[in-house]
Amino acid sequence: LLYVLDPHYQPGKWCGLPAVGGGRGYDTVMNALGLVLEEMDARYKDFNQGKRTDEFDRLTVFIDEVPALVEWCFDGKRLRDQRWMSFAKQLGSEARKVRISVILMTQSPLVQDIQINTRMRENFTRIALGDQSIELIKESREPRRSELEGLIANKQFTATMEYRNQIHALDTSNVPILAR
């Protein structure tokens, strides 16, 4: 199952997949986050009854425009809607055991832009595309930095991934074929 939440959604944007939240429907997205938390609660009841992790169907929640969503939660500096903070903390630390994955789309690598802390960031896999690929390599303490930079140098489509505190260059050679 794939669940797309996007406050900037318009029909056809996600290859025909339905999405929740178009027209800057931030409250609709927040309500959908609540439904995901309810699903996680239901799965944990089954987990408590002995259902194993591999018996759950995978649920992937794809959330676009996360910094805009977080910004909507604040009225100036005052928090007006705490649902994002609750969602991010719970899903970032608990969802994996019941096969719920969350993909957060943001153009910023800064944890404060999506209101998670640095320790919580370790629960997430970060993927950087295009120009941000080299930035992810540069900010890492990866001993293979120059090797990784060489792997993405002069490539039209670049992607890197931080997984368990290690940076990996991703193979993007099929991107033009897939795009067609």
Side-chain angles (χ1 to χ4, degrees):
L1 276 163
L2 177 66
Y3 197 30
V4 179
L5 309 177
D6 180 1
H8 298 169
Y9 171 74
Q10 63 185 158
K13 180 177 177 184
W14 295 105
C15 300
L17 291 170
V20 172
R24 298 188 77 224
Y26 295 107
D27 196 52
T28 303
V29 171
M30 290 297 176
N31 290 335
L33 297 179
L35 295 175
V36 174
L37 289 174
E38 287 176 18
E39 174 66 18
M40 187 174 73
D41 289 343
R43 288 178 180 220
Y44 264 101
K45 286 182 176 123
D46 292 341
F47 191 74
N48 186 50
Q49 297 299 315
K51 190 170 185 176
R52 294 186 331 265
T53 297
D54 62 350
E55 294 178 303
F56 290 100
D57 290 333
R58 165 75 55 205
L59 170 61
T60 301
V61 181
F62 190 96
I63 307 171
D64 199 6
E65 307 296 345
V66 176
L69 185 63
V70 170
E71 183 67 27
W72 181 86
C73 290
F74 288 87
D75 181 14
K77 293 191 182 259
R78 190 178 53 94
L79 181 66
R80 72 170 165 192
D81 192 320
Q82 67 181 15
R83 290 180 286 180
W84 169 257
M85 275 44 110
S86 178
F87 178 84
K89 286 178 183 172
Q90 289 182 60
L91 270 288
S93 60
E94 297 183 89
R96 175 183 50 83
K97 289 182 185 125
V98 290
R99 294 194 69 194
I100 298 175
S101 300
V102 181
I103 299 171
L104 306 177
M105 293 294 292
T106 174
Q107 294 179 8
S108 172
L110 304 174
V111 293
Q112 63 264 30
D113 288 345
I114 59 173
Q115 291 295 306
I116 62 171
N117 62 41
T118 305
R119 214 156 96 205
M120 179 65 72
R121 186 177 91 179
E122 292 176 9
N123 292 335
F124 294 90
T125 298
R126 294 194 305 157
I127 297 175
L129 305 174
D131 295 341
Q132 293 302 310
S133 296
I134 195 72
E135 296 303 319
L136 184 59
I137 293 170
K138 286 179 181 177
E139 81 172 49
S140 76
R141 295 184 188 137
E142 183 68 52
R144 308 176 309 127
R145 278 173 58 167
S146 58
E147 176 191 344
L148 290 164
E149 288 171 356
L151 287 171
I152 67 169
N154 303 317
K155 297 234 167 120
Q156 184 178 7
F157 303 99
T158 61
T160 52
M161 173 177 74
E162 178 188 41
Y163 178 69
R164 295 188 176 172
N165 297 317
Q166 286 190 326
I167 306 295
H168 305 274
L170 302 178
D171 179 7
T172 57
S173 58
N174 286 332
V175 168
I177 295 165
L178 294 171
R180 284 187 223 136

